[in-house]
Short mmCIF file of all heavy atoms in Angstrom, two decimals:
data_model
loop_
_atom_site.label_atom_id
_atom_site.label_comp_id
_atom_site.label_asym_id
_atom_site.label_seq_id
_atom_site.Cartn_x
_atom_site.Cartn_y
_atom_site.Cartn_z
N MET A 17 100.51 130.46 102.27
CA MET A 17 99.95 129.21 101.75
C MET A 17 100.93 128.59 100.76
O MET A 17 101.63 129.28 100.04
CB MET A 17 98.61 129.46 101.05
CG MET A 17 97.54 130.06 101.94
SD MET A 17 96.97 128.91 103.19
CE MET A 17 95.62 128.10 102.29
N THR A 18 100.93 127.27 100.77
CA THR A 18 101.85 126.54 99.89
C THR A 18 101.04 125.59 99.01
O THR A 18 100.04 125.03 99.46
CB THR A 18 102.85 125.73 100.74
OG1 THR A 18 103.51 126.62 101.62
CG2 THR A 18 103.88 125.02 99.86
N THR A 19 101.46 125.45 97.78
CA THR A 19 100.81 124.52 96.85
C THR A 19 101.38 123.12 97.04
O THR A 19 102.60 122.95 97.07
CB THR A 19 101.03 124.98 95.40
OG1 THR A 19 100.53 126.31 95.27
CG2 THR A 19 100.31 124.06 94.42
N TYR A 20 100.49 122.16 97.16
CA TYR A 20 100.93 120.77 97.38
C TYR A 20 100.41 119.85 96.28
O TYR A 20 99.33 120.06 95.73
CB TYR A 20 100.40 120.25 98.73
CG TYR A 20 101.14 120.79 99.92
CD1 TYR A 20 100.72 121.95 100.53
CD2 TYR A 20 102.25 120.13 100.44
CE1 TYR A 20 101.39 122.48 101.64
CE2 TYR A 20 102.93 120.63 101.54
CZ TYR A 20 102.50 121.81 102.13
OH TYR A 20 103.17 122.30 103.22
N TYR A 21 101.22 118.81 96.04
CA TYR A 21 100.87 117.76 95.08
C TYR A 21 101.09 116.41 95.76
O TYR A 21 101.87 116.30 96.71
CB TYR A 21 101.76 117.80 93.84
CG TYR A 21 101.48 118.95 92.90
CD1 TYR A 21 102.00 120.21 93.14
CD2 TYR A 21 100.69 118.75 91.77
CE1 TYR A 21 101.74 121.26 92.28
CE2 TYR A 21 100.43 119.80 90.89
CZ TYR A 21 100.95 121.05 91.15
OH TYR A 21 100.70 122.09 90.29
N VAL A 22 100.41 115.38 95.27
CA VAL A 22 100.67 114.02 95.74
C VAL A 22 101.14 113.20 94.54
O VAL A 22 100.62 113.33 93.42
CB VAL A 22 99.43 113.38 96.40
CG1 VAL A 22 98.25 113.24 95.44
CG2 VAL A 22 99.78 112.02 96.99
N ASN A 23 102.14 112.37 94.80
CA ASN A 23 102.67 111.49 93.77
C ASN A 23 101.65 110.36 93.53
O ASN A 23 101.27 109.65 94.47
CB ASN A 23 104.02 110.91 94.22
CG ASN A 23 104.75 110.19 93.11
OD1 ASN A 23 104.14 109.78 92.12
ND2 ASN A 23 106.05 110.03 93.27
N ASP A 24 101.20 110.21 92.29
CA ASP A 24 100.21 109.16 91.99
C ASP A 24 100.84 107.77 91.94
O ASP A 24 100.12 106.77 91.97
CB ASP A 24 99.52 109.45 90.66
CG ASP A 24 98.57 110.63 90.77
OD1 ASP A 24 97.93 110.78 91.81
OD2 ASP A 24 98.49 111.40 89.80
N ASN A 25 102.15 107.74 91.85
CA ASN A 25 102.85 106.44 91.88
C ASN A 25 103.31 106.18 93.30
O ASN A 25 104.00 107.01 93.89
CB ASN A 25 104.04 106.47 90.93
CG ASN A 25 103.62 106.66 89.48
OD1 ASN A 25 103.97 107.64 88.85
ND2 ASN A 25 102.83 105.74 88.99
N PRO A 26 102.96 105.04 93.88
CA PRO A 26 103.37 104.76 95.26
C PRO A 26 104.87 104.51 95.35
O PRO A 26 105.53 104.14 94.39
CB PRO A 26 102.58 103.50 95.62
CG PRO A 26 102.30 102.85 94.31
CD PRO A 26 102.16 103.96 93.31
N GLN A 27 105.39 104.72 96.55
CA GLN A 27 106.79 104.41 96.82
C GLN A 27 107.01 102.91 96.70
O GLN A 27 106.11 102.11 96.96
CB GLN A 27 107.15 104.87 98.24
CG GLN A 27 107.10 106.36 98.45
CD GLN A 27 108.12 107.09 97.62
OE1 GLN A 27 107.78 107.70 96.62
NE2 GLN A 27 109.38 107.03 98.00
N ASN A 28 108.23 102.55 96.36
CA ASN A 28 108.57 101.13 96.24
C ASN A 28 108.96 100.58 97.61
O ASN A 28 110.09 100.19 97.86
CB ASN A 28 109.72 100.96 95.24
CG ASN A 28 110.01 99.50 94.96
OD1 ASN A 28 109.16 98.65 95.13
ND2 ASN A 28 111.23 99.23 94.54
N THR A 29 107.99 100.60 98.52
CA THR A 29 108.19 100.13 99.89
C THR A 29 107.00 99.24 100.24
O THR A 29 105.96 99.30 99.58
CB THR A 29 108.23 101.31 100.87
OG1 THR A 29 107.00 102.03 100.75
CG2 THR A 29 109.40 102.24 100.58
N PRO A 30 107.13 98.43 101.31
CA PRO A 30 106.00 97.56 101.69
C PRO A 30 104.71 98.33 101.98
O PRO A 30 103.62 97.83 101.69
CB PRO A 30 106.52 96.86 102.96
CG PRO A 30 108.00 96.88 102.80
CD PRO A 30 108.32 98.18 102.11
N SER A 31 104.82 99.54 102.53
CA SER A 31 103.61 100.29 102.86
C SER A 31 103.05 101.03 101.66
O SER A 31 101.94 101.57 101.71
CB SER A 31 103.90 101.27 104.00
OG SER A 31 105.04 102.04 103.71
N LYS A 32 103.81 101.08 100.54
CA LYS A 32 103.31 101.67 99.28
C LYS A 32 102.67 103.04 99.49
O LYS A 32 101.59 103.32 98.97
CB LYS A 32 102.30 100.73 98.62
CG LYS A 32 102.88 99.37 98.25
CD LYS A 32 103.18 99.28 96.77
CE LYS A 32 103.64 97.91 96.32
NZ LYS A 32 105.04 97.65 96.67
N GLU A 33 103.36 103.90 100.25
CA GLU A 33 102.76 105.20 100.49
C GLU A 33 102.94 106.15 99.30
O GLU A 33 103.88 106.03 98.52
CB GLU A 33 103.34 105.84 101.76
CG GLU A 33 104.78 106.25 101.66
CD GLU A 33 105.75 105.15 102.06
OE1 GLU A 33 105.37 103.96 102.04
OE2 GLU A 33 106.89 105.50 102.37
N HIS A 34 101.99 107.08 99.20
CA HIS A 34 102.04 108.12 98.18
C HIS A 34 102.60 109.36 98.86
O HIS A 34 102.03 109.84 99.84
CB HIS A 34 100.64 108.39 97.62
CG HIS A 34 100.10 107.24 96.82
ND1 HIS A 34 100.12 107.21 95.45
CD2 HIS A 34 99.55 106.06 97.23
CE1 HIS A 34 99.60 106.06 95.04
NE2 HIS A 34 99.24 105.35 96.08
N GLU A 35 103.67 109.90 98.34
CA GLU A 35 104.32 111.03 98.99
C GLU A 35 103.69 112.36 98.60
O GLU A 35 103.35 112.59 97.45
CB GLU A 35 105.81 111.05 98.64
CG GLU A 35 106.58 109.93 99.32
CD GLU A 35 108.03 110.30 99.56
OE1 GLU A 35 108.70 110.63 98.59
OE2 GLU A 35 108.46 110.22 100.73
N VAL A 36 103.58 113.22 99.61
CA VAL A 36 103.06 114.58 99.42
C VAL A 36 104.24 115.54 99.29
O VAL A 36 105.17 115.49 100.09
CB VAL A 36 102.16 114.96 100.61
CG1 VAL A 36 101.82 116.45 100.58
CG2 VAL A 36 100.87 114.14 100.59
N HIS A 37 104.20 116.40 98.26
CA HIS A 37 105.28 117.35 98.00
C HIS A 37 104.75 118.76 97.84
O HIS A 37 103.61 118.96 97.40
CB HIS A 37 106.00 117.00 96.68
CG HIS A 37 106.68 115.68 96.67
ND1 HIS A 37 107.94 115.49 97.17
CD2 HIS A 37 106.28 114.48 96.19
CE1 HIS A 37 108.29 114.22 97.00
NE2 HIS A 37 107.30 113.58 96.41
N THR A 38 105.63 119.73 98.12
CA THR A 38 105.31 121.11 97.77
C THR A 38 105.59 121.30 96.27
O THR A 38 106.33 120.51 95.67
CB THR A 38 106.17 122.11 98.56
OG1 THR A 38 107.54 121.88 98.24
CG2 THR A 38 105.97 121.94 100.05
N ALA A 39 105.00 122.35 95.69
CA ALA A 39 105.13 122.56 94.25
C ALA A 39 106.59 122.74 93.84
O ALA A 39 106.98 122.39 92.73
CB ALA A 39 104.31 123.78 93.82
N GLY A 40 107.43 123.29 94.73
CA GLY A 40 108.80 123.58 94.35
C GLY A 40 109.79 122.47 94.65
O GLY A 40 110.99 122.63 94.41
N CYS A 41 109.33 121.35 95.16
CA CYS A 41 110.24 120.27 95.55
C CYS A 41 110.90 119.62 94.33
O CYS A 41 110.22 119.26 93.37
CB CYS A 41 109.49 119.21 96.35
SG CYS A 41 110.55 117.84 96.88
N SER A 42 112.21 119.44 94.40
CA SER A 42 112.90 118.82 93.26
C SER A 42 112.51 117.36 93.09
O SER A 42 112.58 116.82 91.99
CB SER A 42 114.42 118.95 93.43
OG SER A 42 114.82 118.41 94.65
N TRP A 43 112.07 116.72 94.18
CA TRP A 43 111.63 115.33 94.06
C TRP A 43 110.29 115.24 93.34
O TRP A 43 109.99 114.25 92.70
CB TRP A 43 111.54 114.67 95.44
CG TRP A 43 112.91 114.47 96.01
CD1 TRP A 43 113.66 115.40 96.69
CD2 TRP A 43 113.72 113.29 95.92
NE1 TRP A 43 114.88 114.84 97.00
CE2 TRP A 43 114.94 113.56 96.55
CE3 TRP A 43 113.51 112.03 95.34
CZ2 TRP A 43 115.96 112.61 96.64
CZ3 TRP A 43 114.53 111.09 95.44
CH2 TRP A 43 115.74 111.39 96.08
N LEU A 44 109.47 116.29 93.45
CA LEU A 44 108.20 116.29 92.73
C LEU A 44 108.46 116.29 91.22
O LEU A 44 107.74 115.64 90.47
CB LEU A 44 107.38 117.52 93.11
CG LEU A 44 106.03 117.66 92.38
CD1 LEU A 44 105.09 116.54 92.79
CD2 LEU A 44 105.40 119.01 92.65
N SER A 45 109.51 116.98 90.80
CA SER A 45 109.80 117.04 89.36
C SER A 45 110.18 115.67 88.81
O SER A 45 110.13 115.44 87.61
CB SER A 45 110.91 118.06 89.08
OG SER A 45 112.12 117.64 89.67
N LEU A 46 110.58 114.76 89.69
CA LEU A 46 110.92 113.40 89.27
C LEU A 46 109.70 112.50 89.17
O LEU A 46 109.76 111.40 88.62
CB LEU A 46 111.91 112.77 90.26
CG LEU A 46 113.28 113.47 90.40
CD1 LEU A 46 114.09 112.81 91.49
CD2 LEU A 46 114.03 113.44 89.08
N ALA A 47 108.57 112.95 89.72
CA ALA A 47 107.36 112.14 89.70
C ALA A 47 106.73 112.21 88.31
O ALA A 47 106.50 113.30 87.78
CB ALA A 47 106.37 112.64 90.74
N THR A 48 106.47 111.06 87.72
CA THR A 48 105.91 111.05 86.37
C THR A 48 104.40 111.31 86.38
O THR A 48 103.85 111.84 85.43
CB THR A 48 106.19 109.72 85.67
OG1 THR A 48 105.84 108.66 86.55
CG2 THR A 48 107.65 109.60 85.30
N ASN A 49 103.74 110.95 87.47
CA ASN A 49 102.31 111.18 87.60
C ASN A 49 102.04 111.81 88.96
O ASN A 49 102.41 111.25 89.99
CB ASN A 49 101.52 109.87 87.50
CG ASN A 49 101.65 109.25 86.12
OD1 ASN A 49 101.16 109.79 85.15
ND2 ASN A 49 102.34 108.13 86.04
N LYS A 50 101.40 112.97 88.94
CA LYS A 50 101.09 113.65 90.19
C LYS A 50 99.74 114.32 90.11
O LYS A 50 99.26 114.64 89.01
CB LYS A 50 102.17 114.68 90.52
CG LYS A 50 102.35 115.76 89.45
CD LYS A 50 103.49 116.69 89.82
CE LYS A 50 103.64 117.83 88.84
NZ LYS A 50 104.26 117.42 87.57
N SER A 51 99.12 114.51 91.28
CA SER A 51 97.82 115.16 91.35
C SER A 51 97.91 116.41 92.21
O SER A 51 98.50 116.40 93.29
CB SER A 51 96.78 114.22 91.96
OG SER A 51 96.51 113.14 91.10
N TYR A 52 97.28 117.48 91.73
CA TYR A 52 97.22 118.74 92.48
C TYR A 52 96.30 118.55 93.68
O TYR A 52 95.17 118.06 93.54
CB TYR A 52 96.69 119.83 91.55
CG TYR A 52 96.46 121.16 92.20
CD1 TYR A 52 97.54 121.98 92.52
CD2 TYR A 52 95.17 121.60 92.46
CE1 TYR A 52 97.33 123.22 93.12
CE2 TYR A 52 94.95 122.84 93.04
CZ TYR A 52 96.04 123.64 93.37
OH TYR A 52 95.82 124.86 93.95
N LEU A 53 96.78 118.91 94.86
CA LEU A 53 95.96 118.79 96.07
C LEU A 53 95.30 120.10 96.43
O LEU A 53 94.14 120.14 96.84
CB LEU A 53 96.83 118.33 97.25
CG LEU A 53 97.32 116.89 97.20
CD1 LEU A 53 98.32 116.65 98.33
CD2 LEU A 53 96.17 115.92 97.29
N GLY A 54 96.04 121.20 96.31
CA GLY A 54 95.50 122.51 96.65
C GLY A 54 96.52 123.34 97.40
O GLY A 54 97.69 122.98 97.50
N GLU A 55 96.03 124.46 97.94
CA GLU A 55 96.88 125.37 98.71
C GLU A 55 96.58 125.16 100.18
O GLU A 55 95.42 125.24 100.59
CB GLU A 55 96.54 126.82 98.34
CG GLU A 55 96.54 127.10 96.85
CD GLU A 55 97.83 127.75 96.41
OE1 GLU A 55 98.33 128.62 97.13
OE2 GLU A 55 98.34 127.36 95.34
N PHE A 56 97.63 124.91 100.96
CA PHE A 56 97.44 124.65 102.38
C PHE A 56 98.48 125.41 103.20
O PHE A 56 99.56 125.72 102.71
CB PHE A 56 97.56 123.15 102.67
CG PHE A 56 96.59 122.30 101.89
CD1 PHE A 56 97.00 121.61 100.77
CD2 PHE A 56 95.26 122.22 102.27
CE1 PHE A 56 96.11 120.84 100.03
CE2 PHE A 56 94.35 121.45 101.54
CZ PHE A 56 94.78 120.77 100.42
N SER A 57 98.14 125.65 104.47
CA SER A 57 99.07 126.36 105.33
C SER A 57 100.06 125.42 105.99
O SER A 57 101.06 125.86 106.56
CB SER A 57 98.29 127.16 106.39
OG SER A 57 97.46 126.30 107.14
N SER A 58 99.79 124.11 105.94
CA SER A 58 100.74 123.16 106.52
C SER A 58 100.67 121.84 105.77
O SER A 58 99.67 121.53 105.12
CB SER A 58 100.42 122.92 108.00
OG SER A 58 99.33 122.04 108.13
N CYS A 59 101.73 121.06 105.91
CA CYS A 59 101.76 119.77 105.23
C CYS A 59 100.72 118.83 105.83
O CYS A 59 100.25 117.93 105.14
CB CYS A 59 103.16 119.17 105.28
SG CYS A 59 103.79 118.85 106.93
N LYS A 60 100.37 119.04 107.10
CA LYS A 60 99.36 118.16 107.72
C LYS A 60 98.03 118.25 107.00
O LYS A 60 97.34 117.25 106.79
CB LYS A 60 99.20 118.52 109.20
CG LYS A 60 100.38 118.11 110.05
CD LYS A 60 100.13 118.40 111.52
CE LYS A 60 101.26 117.85 112.39
NZ LYS A 60 102.56 118.49 112.11
N GLU A 61 97.65 119.47 106.60
CA GLU A 61 96.40 119.62 105.85
C GLU A 61 96.51 118.98 104.48
O GLU A 61 95.55 118.39 103.98
CB GLU A 61 96.07 121.11 105.69
CG GLU A 61 95.71 121.79 107.00
CD GLU A 61 95.59 123.30 106.80
OE1 GLU A 61 94.94 123.73 105.84
OE2 GLU A 61 96.15 124.04 107.62
N ALA A 62 97.69 119.09 103.88
CA ALA A 62 97.90 118.49 102.56
C ALA A 62 97.83 116.97 102.65
O ALA A 62 97.24 116.31 101.78
CB ALA A 62 99.25 118.94 102.00
N VAL A 63 98.41 116.41 103.70
CA VAL A 63 98.36 114.96 103.88
C VAL A 63 96.91 114.50 104.09
O VAL A 63 96.47 113.49 103.54
CB VAL A 63 99.25 114.53 105.08
CG1 VAL A 63 98.94 113.10 105.51
CG2 VAL A 63 100.72 114.66 104.69
N ALA A 64 96.14 115.29 104.85
CA ALA A 64 94.73 114.95 105.07
C ALA A 64 93.97 114.95 103.75
O ALA A 64 93.13 114.07 103.51
CB ALA A 64 94.11 115.93 106.06
N ALA A 65 94.28 115.91 102.89
CA ALA A 65 93.62 115.98 101.58
C ALA A 65 94.02 114.78 100.72
O ALA A 65 93.19 114.18 100.02
CB ALA A 65 93.98 117.29 100.88
N ALA A 66 95.29 114.41 100.78
CA ALA A 66 95.78 113.28 99.99
C ALA A 66 95.15 111.97 100.45
O ALA A 66 94.94 111.05 99.66
CB ALA A 66 97.30 113.20 100.08
N LYS A 67 94.82 111.90 101.75
CA LYS A 67 94.22 110.68 102.29
C LYS A 67 92.79 110.46 101.82
O LYS A 67 92.24 109.37 101.96
CB LYS A 67 94.29 110.68 103.83
CG LYS A 67 95.69 110.30 104.30
CD LYS A 67 95.76 110.12 105.80
CE LYS A 67 97.15 109.57 106.17
NZ LYS A 67 97.38 109.56 107.61
N ARG A 68 92.18 111.52 101.24
CA ARG A 68 90.86 111.31 100.63
C ARG A 68 91.00 110.55 99.32
O ARG A 68 90.04 110.00 98.81
CB ARG A 68 90.18 112.67 100.40
CG ARG A 68 89.71 113.31 101.70
CD ARG A 68 88.68 114.40 101.45
NE ARG A 68 89.28 115.63 100.97
CZ ARG A 68 89.68 116.62 101.76
NH1 ARG A 68 89.55 116.53 103.06
NH2 ARG A 68 90.21 117.71 101.24
N LYS A 69 92.21 110.55 98.76
CA LYS A 69 92.46 109.88 97.49
C LYS A 69 93.19 108.55 97.70
O LYS A 69 92.87 107.56 97.06
CB LYS A 69 93.29 110.81 96.60
CG LYS A 69 93.55 110.30 95.20
CD LYS A 69 94.26 111.40 94.37
CE LYS A 69 94.72 110.87 93.04
NZ LYS A 69 93.90 111.24 91.91
N TYR A 70 94.15 108.55 98.60
CA TYR A 70 94.95 107.34 98.87
C TYR A 70 94.96 107.07 100.38
O TYR A 70 95.08 107.98 101.18
CB TYR A 70 96.39 107.54 98.40
CG TYR A 70 96.53 107.78 96.93
CD1 TYR A 70 96.99 109.00 96.44
CD2 TYR A 70 96.21 106.78 96.02
CE1 TYR A 70 97.12 109.21 95.08
CE2 TYR A 70 96.34 106.99 94.65
CZ TYR A 70 96.79 108.20 94.19
OH TYR A 70 96.92 108.41 92.84
N SER A 71 94.89 105.78 100.75
CA SER A 71 94.88 105.45 102.18
C SER A 71 96.28 105.51 102.78
O SER A 71 96.44 105.80 103.96
CB SER A 71 94.26 104.07 102.40
OG SER A 71 94.97 103.10 101.67
N SER A 72 97.29 105.24 101.98
CA SER A 72 98.66 105.26 102.48
C SER A 72 99.37 106.50 101.95
O SER A 72 99.67 106.60 100.76
CB SER A 72 99.39 103.99 102.03
OG SER A 72 100.70 103.96 102.57
N VAL A 73 99.60 107.47 102.84
CA VAL A 73 100.17 108.77 102.45
C VAL A 73 101.26 109.14 103.44
O VAL A 73 101.16 108.85 104.64
CB VAL A 73 99.07 109.86 102.46
CG1 VAL A 73 99.65 111.22 102.14
CG2 VAL A 73 97.95 109.51 101.50
N ASP A 74 102.31 109.79 102.93
CA ASP A 74 103.37 110.27 103.81
C ASP A 74 103.93 111.56 103.22
O ASP A 74 103.90 111.76 102.01
CB ASP A 74 104.47 109.20 103.92
CG ASP A 74 105.43 109.49 105.05
OD1 ASP A 74 105.01 110.12 106.04
OD2 ASP A 74 106.59 109.07 104.97
N GLY A 75 104.44 112.41 104.11
CA GLY A 75 105.08 113.63 103.64
C GLY A 75 106.48 113.35 103.14
O GLY A 75 107.18 112.49 103.68
N CYS A 76 106.89 114.08 102.14
CA CYS A 76 108.25 113.96 101.60
C CYS A 76 109.25 114.41 102.67
O CYS A 76 109.06 115.45 103.31
CB CYS A 76 108.36 114.85 100.37
SG CYS A 76 110.02 115.11 99.75
N LYS A 77 110.32 113.65 102.86
CA LYS A 77 111.25 114.01 103.92
C LYS A 77 112.08 115.24 103.57
O LYS A 77 112.67 115.85 104.44
CB LYS A 77 112.15 112.83 104.28
CG LYS A 77 113.19 112.46 103.27
CD LYS A 77 114.05 111.33 103.82
CE LYS A 77 114.92 110.73 102.72
NZ LYS A 77 115.66 109.57 103.20
N HIS A 78 112.10 115.61 102.29
CA HIS A 78 112.89 116.76 101.87
C HIS A 78 112.10 118.07 101.99
O HIS A 78 112.61 119.04 102.52
CB HIS A 78 113.37 116.58 100.43
CG HIS A 78 114.23 115.37 100.27
ND1 HIS A 78 115.55 115.35 100.61
CD2 HIS A 78 113.93 114.11 99.85
CE1 HIS A 78 116.05 114.14 100.40
NE2 HIS A 78 115.09 113.37 99.94
N CYS A 79 110.87 118.09 101.49
CA CYS A 79 110.11 119.34 101.49
C CYS A 79 109.08 119.41 102.62
O CYS A 79 108.61 120.49 102.95
CB CYS A 79 109.43 119.56 100.14
SG CYS A 79 108.17 118.33 99.74
N SER A 80 108.70 118.26 103.20
CA SER A 80 107.69 118.25 104.26
C SER A 80 108.15 117.36 105.41
O SER A 80 107.46 116.40 105.77
CB SER A 80 106.35 117.73 103.69
OG SER A 80 105.96 118.46 102.56
N PRO A 81 109.31 117.67 105.98
CA PRO A 81 109.86 116.78 107.03
C PRO A 81 108.95 116.64 108.24
O PRO A 81 108.97 115.60 108.91
CB PRO A 81 111.20 117.43 107.39
CG PRO A 81 111.09 118.85 106.93
CD PRO A 81 110.20 118.81 105.72
N ALA A 82 108.14 117.68 108.52
CA ALA A 82 107.24 117.60 109.68
C ALA A 82 106.18 116.52 109.48
O ALA A 82 105.59 116.05 110.45
CB ALA A 82 106.59 118.95 109.92
N CYS A 83 105.93 116.14 108.23
CA CYS A 83 104.90 115.15 107.94
C CYS A 83 105.51 113.82 107.47
O CYS A 83 104.79 112.94 107.04
CB CYS A 83 103.94 115.67 106.89
SG CYS A 83 102.97 117.07 107.48
N HIS A 84 106.83 113.73 107.54
CA HIS A 84 107.49 112.50 107.12
C HIS A 84 107.53 111.55 108.31
O HIS A 84 108.15 111.82 109.32
CB HIS A 84 108.90 112.80 106.63
CG HIS A 84 109.67 111.58 106.24
ND1 HIS A 84 109.35 110.85 105.11
CD2 HIS A 84 110.70 110.94 106.83
CE1 HIS A 84 110.18 109.82 105.02
NE2 HIS A 84 111.00 109.85 106.04
N THR A 85 106.82 110.45 108.19
CA THR A 85 106.72 109.52 109.32
C THR A 85 107.29 108.15 109.02
O THR A 85 107.43 107.33 109.92
CB THR A 85 105.25 109.33 109.74
OG1 THR A 85 104.51 108.87 108.61
CG2 THR A 85 104.66 110.66 110.22
N ARG A 86 107.60 107.86 107.73
CA ARG A 86 108.10 106.53 107.43
C ARG A 86 109.54 106.58 106.94
O ARG A 86 109.95 107.55 106.36
CB ARG A 86 107.22 105.86 106.35
CG ARG A 86 105.80 105.64 106.85
CD ARG A 86 105.08 104.71 105.93
NE ARG A 86 103.71 104.49 106.38
CZ ARG A 86 102.64 105.15 105.92
NH1 ARG A 86 102.79 106.06 104.99
NH2 ARG A 86 101.46 104.89 106.39
ZN1 LIG B 128 109.15 116.74 98.34
#
């Protein structure tokens, strides 16, 4: 299981997605505001959890490339 967080600040892109990161991602450490999502076996579950909070969500291309779609 991996611990996931979502960036509370949207990306500076037209789709304004909130990126999902693993706890150890160096990009997560750059996020000034983040929310704990929980422990999941895959980034897909973490993205689903983040979508309960934000409608526009994407996986980080560095730590969750399987869920990076934009
Ligand atoms: Zn990341």
Side-chain angles (χ1 to χ4, degrees):
M17 300 291 271
T18 304
T19 302
Y20 284 90
Y21 287 82
V22 62
N23 191 339
D24 289 323
N25 297 118
Q27 294 296 104
N28 186 24
T29 58
S31 51
K32 299 258 185 283
E33 68 271 21
H34 293 259
E35 289 208 303
V36 169
H37 296 277
T38 61
C41 180
S42 55
W43 290 83
L44 178 67
S45 65
L46 298 175
T48 48
N49 295 293
K50 59 184 184 284
S51 292
Y52 175 75
L53 289 172
E55 309 261 319
F56 303 101
S57 57
S58 78
C59 61
K60 288 184 174 63
E61 292 172 47
V63 166
K67 281 187 173 171
R68 287 198 284 269
K69 184 174 172 103
Y70 298 114
S71 58
S72 183
V73 177
D74 193 28
C76 168
K77 71 176 168 185
H78 300 280
C79 65
S80 306
C83 294
H84 177 70
T85 57
R86 295 194 181 97

